[in-house]
Amino acid sequence: MALFPSSSRPRTLMEQLLARKIEAAATAAGGAPSSASSPPSPGEASGSGSPMIAGMPMVGASGASILSRLRRTDSLDSTSSLGSLAFGEDVCRCDDCLLGIVDLYVISASEAAKKKSSGWRKIRNIVQWTPFFQTYKKQRYPWVQLAGHQGNFKAGPEPGTVLKKLCPKEEECFQILMQDLLRPYVPVFKGQVTSEDGDLYLQLQDLLSDYVQPCVMDCKVGVRTYLEEELSKAKEKPKLRKDMYDKMIQIDAQAPTLEEHAAKAVTKPRYMVWRETISSTATLGFRIEGIKKSDGTSSKDFKTTKSREQIKLAFMEFLSGHAQILPRYIQRLRAIRATLAVSEFFQTHEVIGSSLLFVHDHTHASIWLIDFAKTMALPPELHIDHYSAWKVGNHEDGYLIGINNLIDIFVELQATLEKDAEPSKNEEDGAAGGADE
């Protein structure tokens, strides 16, 4: 699949910038194309039949070398797509990668090759896309991934769909959810597919396809984002980790103890528990992972957004210019809570690391439950109410704590907005009365 598909149109500025960066990387690696193989002009087909980036074949060892120099990072300044593109080793900075647990939930290409079956649908030329923009239903909007492991998503084979790297546990959840009362509140699951490179994906409904310049917010729900098994495994042979210490002091230089400062390292269990306490996860049962506004600007800088007032300010910024949407969000949250109470899926599963995705534009608004890689079926003899305090061994996830607090905070915001609107309304009424006299 060509990164910049051949067409008669000139390359966009973003495509040109990326092409120059790739050429610079190739030159630095001693792999610059020779004068005998100069790149074709924009819009000119290479004629070789090989996928091209800036006129360079992306096959063979040299192509693999160039691609391996690209990496996606969880950029601290994510207001621009370009801000998260860098050159270097292939490293993702999400917490799951840092903790070394992301591989527990996805299938690699080598595993995919072993698990192929003739019944799986083969996709050719999944979609033509640039790294920065997607086109769905003739609408052009920035590709959005506000949270989680980078590189898990691809554009879907048809408008209105996306591909998410296969996680067997998540696939099991979607298969059950498609028959559960929660189905209206989760992305439609369209089956499993395999791409040209052999990787397996879940084909899901694209939740943004019906929106024009959507505002998007990802809220991770629950009082913890790690499974009890993950914490137990981390405690078996705890080792001091400098990378986790570095990330900890980057967020809060005072967080490590004197001993940890001296060692310049912390253990994985220490980091896992600490990262839940710096945000609203442990206290409110949810935290904001990321927000993208309609103008394309986005932010993931919510790691220490903890207090109720800080959350309200972030929500107000998210709703800026769209106050009329707030009642719809409240209604949707209440409908989700009522459905959770009677959902067989919810009653029989421990929901960890799942998010609520808030999406709105000027006329539409909705909320969906997403991300089920860590959602596990409970043993038949174990019952949880999703509201009781979590203690190691009871498997409580605090999901309803988060839902209830979200509803309460949105209701408080609505009351504040209505109160602020009253003086202006009274002033208008007074002015109208004076005019009548």
Side-chain angles (χ1 to χ4, degrees):
M1 180 181 69
L3 191 58
F4 301 146
S6 297
S7 69
S8 60
R9 66 168 178 81
R11 291 193 187 120
T12 65
L13 175 60
M14 289 184 177
E15 289 173 349
Q16 293 176 37
L17 289 172
L18 180 62
R20 290 171 186 169
K21 284 193 172 186
I22 294 172
E23 289 173 319
T27 301
S34 65
S35 57
S37 59
S38 58
S41 59
E44 180 182 342
S46 68
S48 66
S50 300
M52 306 286 289
I53 292 184
M56 296 180 293
M58 293 308 297
V59 294
S62 61
S65 174
I66 294 169
L67 281 181
S68 69
R69 294 176 64 81
L70 286 173
R71 68 181 172 94
R72 267 289 181 192
T73 64
D74 186 5
S75 175
L76 294 177
D77 178 12
S78 55
T79 57
S80 165
S81 296
L82 287 171
S84 61
L85 189 67
F87 289 93
E89 60 190 56
D90 187 12
V91 175
C92 176
R93 297 191 324 195
C94 74
D95 270 333
D96 277 355
C97 285
L98 181 70
L99 294 167
I101 57 180
V102 70
D103 292 335
L104 299 176
Y105 307 106
V106 298
I107 286 185
S108 66
S110 58
E111 291 172 318
K114 298 177 184 177
K115 295 177 179 289
K116 277 186 183 178
S117 75
S118 58
W120 288 339
R121 178 182 170 193
K122 188 85 169 178
I123 293 182
R124 294 188 180 277
N125 298 325
I126 294 177
V127 76
Q128 292 187 341
W129 62 291
T130 75
F132 310 108
F133 290 96
Q134 288 288 129
T135 301
Y136 286 134
K137 294 187 178 180
K138 299 181 181 180
Q139 297 174 18
R140 202 168 183 235
Y141 59 82
W143 178 270
V144 177
Q145 185 178 350
L146 292 176
H149 178 63
Q150 300 295 313
N152 273 354
F153 290 90
K154 284 189 177 184
E158 57 189 32
T161 64
V162 295
L163 297 181
K164 184 176 184 181
K165 189 159 285 189
L166 172 66
C167 161
K169 288 293 183 183
E170 187 165 34
E171 183 179 31
E172 289 177 15
C173 288
F174 274 118
Q175 289 171 342
I176 299 172
L177 284 165
M178 290 302 97
Q179 309 299 322
D180 191 81
L181 294 173
L182 282 171
R183 177 169 181 167
Y185 306 101
V186 299
V188 175
F189 173 55
K190 297 178 178 290
Q192 184 189 112
V193 298
T194 181
S195 66
E196 286 287 340
D197 56 10
D199 285 341
L200 303 180
Y201 291 87
L202 305 178
Q203 187 178 4
L204 302 171
Q205 172 191 1
D206 170 36
L207 300 176
L208 307 186
S209 62
D210 293 326
Y211 292 80
V212 178
Q213 294 181 313
C215 299
V216 186
M217 177 171 67
D218 182 309
C219 285
K220 191 78 70 179
V221 183
V223 294
R224 57 188 167 92
T225 58
Y226 52 82
L227 293 164
E228 292 191 0
E229 290 79 2
E230 292 172 354
L231 185 60
S232 298
K233 187 175 180 179
K235 288 181 176 179
E236 287 177 1
K237 294 180 180 179
K239 297 180 180 179
L240 290 174
R241 295 278 298 271
K242 182 181 184 303
D243 54 347
M244 293 180 182
Y245 169 83
D246 290 342
K247 192 165 185 179
M248 181 181 284
I249 62 174
Q250 184 181 21
I251 297 170
D252 182 2
Q254 306 304 316
T257 64
L258 292 176
E259 292 79 4
E260 290 167 342
H261 273 306
K264 295 188 180 302
V266 298
T267 64
K268 183 188 286 190
R270 160 83 163 116
Y271 180 85
M272 292 173 73
V273 174
W274 167 80
R275 69 172 181 163
E276 310 292 45
T277 63
I278 61 174
S279 69
S280 55
T281 290
T283 54
L284 297 177
F286 75 90
R287 70 169 181 245
I288 302 173
E289 288 285 286
I291 289 176
K292 187 198 79 71
K293 300 181 70 175
S294 59
D295 60 4
T297 59
S298 61
S299 175
K300 300 180 185 180
D301 191 20
F302 299 101
K303 289 182 174 63
T304 57
T305 302
K306 183 174 182 178
S307 71
R308 203 176 187 92
E309 289 307 311
Q310 288 175 319
I311 294 288
K312 284 183 181 180
L313 289 174
F315 283 172
M316 288 294 287
E317 180 65 20
F318 173 60
L319 292 165
S320 178
H322 302 87
Q324 77 282 1
I325 295 299
L326 187 51
R328 301 186 192 183
Y329 276 148
I330 295 172
Q331 181 182 16
R332 181 77 168 179
L333 283 169
R334 285 173 172 166
I336 289 173
R337 181 173 62 183
T339 307
L340 290 172
V342 293
S343 164
E344 183 178 353
F345 176 89
F346 191 63
Q347 293 170 6
T348 56
H349 284 77
E350 175 185 1
V351 186
I352 300 296
S354 182
S355 290
L356 288 177
L357 191 72
F358 294 72
V359 185
H360 70 262
D361 56 19
H362 284 289
T363 56
H364 304 89
S366 197
I367 305 172
W368 286 275
L369 285 71
I370 61 171
D371 297 337
F372 301 102
K374 295 185 183 181
T375 295
M376 304 294 176
L378 293 164
E381 70 278 3
L382 184 63
H383 173 77
I384 64 175
D385 59 23
H386 303 277
Y387 190 79
S388 297
W390 172 62
K391 296 179 181 178
V392 176
N394 71 2
H395 288 270
E396 288 290 349
D397 53 30
Y399 198 92
L400 288 180
I401 295 175
I403 294 288
N404 288 339
N405 278 318
L406 278 165
I407 293 173
D408 290 346
I409 291 173
F410 274 115
V411 169
E412 291 170 13
L413 286 178
Q414 185 179 32
T416 299
L417 291 174
E418 290 175 351
K419 185 177 180 181
D420 291 344
E422 285 179 3
S424 59
K425 186 176 184 300
N426 292 335
E427 290 173 6
E428 291 175 4
D429 293 341
D436 290 341
E437 293 176 1

Coordinates of all heavy atoms in Angstrom, one line a residue, residues 173-191 205 207 332 335-336 339-340 343-346 366-369 372:
C173 N -15.4 -10.0 23.7 CA -16.4 -9.0 24.3 C -17.3 -8.5 23.2 O -18.5 -8.4 23.5 CB -15.6 -7.9 24.9 SG -14.7 -8.3 26.5
F174 N -16.8 -8.1 22.0 CA -17.7 -7.5 21.0 C -18.7 -8.6 20.5 O -19.8 -8.2 20.2 CB -16.8 -7.0 19.8 CG -16.4 -5.6 20.0 CD1 -15.0 -5.3 20.1 CD2 -17.3 -4.6 20.1 CE1 -14.6 -4.0 20.2 CE2 -16.9 -3.3 20.3 CZ -15.5 -3.0 20.3
Q175 N -18.3 -9.8 20.4 CA -19.2 -10.9 20.0 C -20.4 -11.0 21.0 O -21.5 -11.2 20.5 CB -18.5 -12.2 19.8 CG -17.5 -12.2 18.7 CD -16.6 -13.5 18.7 OE1 -16.5 -14.1 19.7 NE2 -16.0 -13.8 17.5
I176 N -20.1 -10.9 22.3 CA -21.1 -10.9 23.3 C -22.0 -9.6 23.2 O -23.2 -9.7 23.3 CB -20.5 -11.2 24.7 CG1 -19.8 -12.5 24.7 CG2 -21.6 -11.1 25.7 CD1 -19.0 -12.7 26.0
L177 N -21.3 -8.5 23.1 CA -22.0 -7.2 23.2 C -22.9 -7.0 22.0 O -24.0 -6.3 22.1 CB -21.0 -6.1 23.2 CG -20.2 -5.8 24.5 CD1 -19.0 -5.0 24.3 CD2 -21.2 -5.2 25.5
M178 N -22.6 -7.6 20.9 CA -23.5 -7.5 19.7 C -24.9 -8.2 20.0 O -25.9 -7.9 19.3 CB -22.9 -8.1 18.5 CG -21.7 -7.3 17.9 SD -22.1 -5.6 17.4 CE -21.5 -4.7 18.9
Q179 N -24.9 -9.1 21.0 CA -26.2 -9.7 21.4 C -26.8 -9.2 22.7 O -27.8 -9.7 23.2 CB -26.0 -11.2 21.5 CG -25.3 -11.9 20.3 CD -26.1 -11.7 19.0 OE1 -27.3 -11.8 19.1 NE2 -25.4 -11.5 17.9
D180 N -26.1 -8.2 23.3 CA -26.4 -7.7 24.6 C -27.3 -6.4 24.5 O -27.3 -5.8 23.5 CB -25.2 -7.5 25.4 CG -25.4 -7.2 26.9 OD1 -25.6 -8.2 27.6 OD2 -25.4 -6.0 27.3
L181 N -27.9 -6.1 25.7 CA -28.7 -4.8 25.7 C -27.8 -3.6 25.5 O -28.3 -2.5 25.2 CB -29.4 -4.7 27.0 CG -30.5 -5.8 27.2 CD1 -31.1 -5.7 28.7 CD2 -31.6 -5.6 26.2
L182 N -26.5 -3.7 25.7 CA -25.6 -2.6 25.5 C -25.2 -2.3 24.1 O -24.5 -1.4 23.8 CB -24.3 -2.9 26.3 CG -24.3 -2.6 27.8 CD1 -23.0 -3.2 28.5 CD2 -24.6 -1.2 28.2
R183 N -25.7 -3.1 23.2 CA -25.3 -3.0 21.8 C -25.5 -1.5 21.2 O -24.6 -1.0 20.5 CB -26.1 -3.9 20.9 CG -25.8 -3.8 19.4 CD -26.3 -4.9 18.5 NE -25.9 -4.6 17.1 CZ -26.0 -5.5 16.2 NH1 -26.5 -6.7 16.4 NH2 -25.7 -5.2 14.9
P184 N -26.6 -0.8 21.6 CA -26.7 0.6 21.0 C -25.6 1.5 21.5 O -25.5 2.7 21.0 CB -28.1 1.0 21.5 CG -28.8 -0.2 21.8 CD -27.8 -1.2 22.3
Y185 N -24.8 1.1 22.5 CA -23.9 2.0 23.2 C -22.4 1.6 22.9 O -21.5 2.2 23.5 CB -24.1 2.1 24.7 CG -25.6 2.4 25.0 CD1 -26.5 1.4 25.4 CD2 -26.0 3.7 24.9 CE1 -27.8 1.8 25.7 CE2 -27.3 4.1 25.2 CZ -28.2 3.1 25.6 OH -29.5 3.4 25.8
V186 N -22.2 0.7 22.0 CA -20.8 0.3 21.6 C -20.7 0.3 20.1 O -21.7 0.3 19.4 CB -20.5 -1.1 22.1 CG1 -20.6 -1.2 23.6 CG2 -21.4 -2.2 21.5
P187 N -19.5 0.5 19.6 CA -19.3 0.5 18.1 C -19.8 -0.9 17.5 O -19.6 -1.9 18.1 CB -17.8 0.6 17.9 CG -17.3 1.1 19.2 CD -18.2 0.6 20.3
V188 N -20.4 -0.8 16.4 CA -20.8 -2.0 15.7 C -19.6 -2.8 15.3 O -18.6 -2.3 14.7 CB -21.7 -1.7 14.4 CG1 -22.0 -3.0 13.7 CG2 -22.9 -0.9 14.8
F189 N -19.6 -4.1 15.6 CA -18.5 -5.0 15.3 C -18.8 -5.7 14.0 O -19.9 -6.4 13.9 CB -18.3 -6.0 16.4 CG -17.3 -7.1 16.1 CD1 -16.0 -6.8 15.7 CD2 -17.6 -8.5 16.3 CE1 -15.1 -7.8 15.4 CE2 -16.7 -9.5 16.0 CZ -15.5 -9.1 15.6
K190 N -18.0 -5.6 13.0 CA -18.2 -6.1 11.6 C -17.4 -7.4 11.3 O -17.4 -7.8 10.1 CB -18.0 -5.0 10.6 CG -19.0 -3.9 10.7 CD -18.7 -2.8 9.7 CE -19.7 -1.6 9.8 NZ -21.0 -2.0 9.4
G191 N -16.7 -7.9 12.3 CA -15.9 -9.1 12.0 C -14.4 -8.9 12.1 O -13.9 -7.8 12.3
Q205 N -17.2 0.0 13.6 CA -17.9 1.2 13.2 C -17.0 2.4 13.5 O -16.5 2.6 14.6 CB -19.2 1.4 13.9 CG -19.9 2.7 13.7 CD -21.1 2.8 14.6 OE1 -21.4 2.0 15.5 NE2 -21.9 3.9 14.5
L207 N -16.9 5.9 14.7 CA -17.9 6.7 15.5 C -17.9 8.1 15.1 O -18.8 8.9 15.6 CB -17.6 6.5 16.9 CG -17.6 5.1 17.5 CD1 -17.2 5.0 18.9 CD2 -19.0 4.5 17.3
R332 N -27.8 10.8 27.6 CA -27.1 9.6 27.1 C -26.5 8.8 28.3 O -26.5 7.6 28.4 CB -26.1 10.0 26.1 CG -25.3 8.8 25.5 CD -26.1 8.1 24.4 NE -25.2 7.2 23.7 CZ -25.6 6.4 22.7 NH1 -26.9 6.3 22.4 NH2 -24.7 5.6 22.1
A335 N -29.0 7.0 30.2 CA -29.5 5.8 29.5 C -28.5 4.7 29.6 O -28.8 3.5 29.8 CB -29.7 6.2 28.0
I336 N -27.2 5.0 29.5 CA -26.1 4.0 29.7 C -26.2 3.4 31.1 O -26.1 2.2 31.2 CB -24.7 4.7 29.4 CG1 -24.6 5.0 27.9 CG2 -23.6 3.8 29.9 CD1 -23.3 5.8 27.6
T339 N -29.0 1.0 31.4 CA -28.8 -0.2 30.6 C -27.8 -1.1 31.3 O -27.9 -2.3 31.3 CB -28.4 0.1 29.2 OG1 -29.3 1.0 28.6 CG2 -28.3 -1.1 28.3
L340 N -26.8 -0.5 31.9 CA -25.8 -1.3 32.6 C -26.4 -2.1 33.7 O -26.0 -3.2 34.0 CB -24.7 -0.4 33.2 CG -23.7 0.3 32.2 CD1 -22.9 1.3 32.9 CD2 -22.8 -0.7 31.5
S343 N -27.8 -5.2 32.0 CA -27.0 -5.9 31.0 C -26.4 -7.1 31.6 O -25.7 -7.1 32.6 CB -25.9 -4.9 30.6 OG -24.9 -5.6 29.9
E344 N -26.6 -8.2 30.9 CA -26.0 -9.5 31.4 C -24.5 -9.4 31.2 O -23.7 -9.9 32.0 CB -26.5 -10.7 30.5 CG -26.0 -12.0 31.0 CD -26.6 -13.2 30.2 OE1 -27.5 -12.9 29.4 OE2 -26.1 -14.3 30.4
F345 N -24.0 -8.7 30.2 CA -22.6 -8.6 29.9 C -21.9 -7.9 31.1 O -20.9 -8.3 31.7 CB -22.3 -7.8 28.6 CG -20.9 -7.5 28.4 CD1 -20.1 -8.4 27.7 CD2 -20.3 -6.3 28.8 CE1 -18.7 -8.1 27.4 CE2 -18.9 -6.1 28.6 CZ -18.2 -7.0 27.9
F346 N -22.5 -6.8 31.5 CA -22.0 -6.0 32.6 C -22.0 -6.7 33.9 O -21.1 -6.6 34.8 CB -22.8 -4.6 32.7 CG -22.1 -3.6 33.7 CD1 -20.9 -3.1 33.4 CD2 -22.8 -3.2 34.8 CE1 -20.3 -2.1 34.2 CE2 -22.2 -2.2 35.6 CZ -21.0 -1.7 35.3
S366 N -23.2 12.2 21.1 CA -23.4 10.9 21.6 C -22.2 10.4 22.4 O -21.2 11.1 22.5 CB -23.6 9.9 20.4 OG -24.2 8.7 20.9
I367 N -22.4 9.3 23.1 CA -21.4 8.7 23.9 C -21.4 7.2 23.7 O -22.4 6.6 23.6 CB -21.6 9.0 25.4 CG1 -21.8 10.5 25.7 CG2 -20.5 8.4 26.3 CD1 -22.3 10.8 27.1
W368 N -20.2 6.6 23.5 CA -20.1 5.2 23.3 C -19.1 4.6 24.3 O -18.1 5.2 24.7 CB -19.6 4.9 21.9 CG -20.6 5.1 20.8 CD1 -21.5 4.2 20.4 CD2 -20.7 6.3 20.0 NE1 -22.2 4.8 19.4 CE2 -21.8 6.1 19.1 CE3 -20.0 7.5 20.0 CZ2 -22.2 7.0 18.2 CZ3 -20.4 8.5 19.1 CH2 -21.5 8.2 18.2
L369 N -19.3 3.3 24.7 CA -18.4 2.5 25.4 C -17.4 1.9 24.5 O -17.8 1.3 23.5 CB -19.1 1.4 26.2 CG -19.9 1.7 27.4 CD1 -21.2 2.5 27.1 CD2 -20.3 0.5 28.2
F372 N -12.1 -2.7 25.1 CA -12.4 -3.9 26.0 C -11.3 -4.9 26.1 O -11.6 -6.1 26.4 CB -13.7 -4.5 25.5 CG -14.9 -3.6 25.5 CD1 -15.3 -3.1 24.3 CD2 -15.6 -3.3 26.6 CE1 -16.4 -2.2 24.2 CE2 -16.7 -2.4 26.6 CZ -17.1 -1.8 25.4

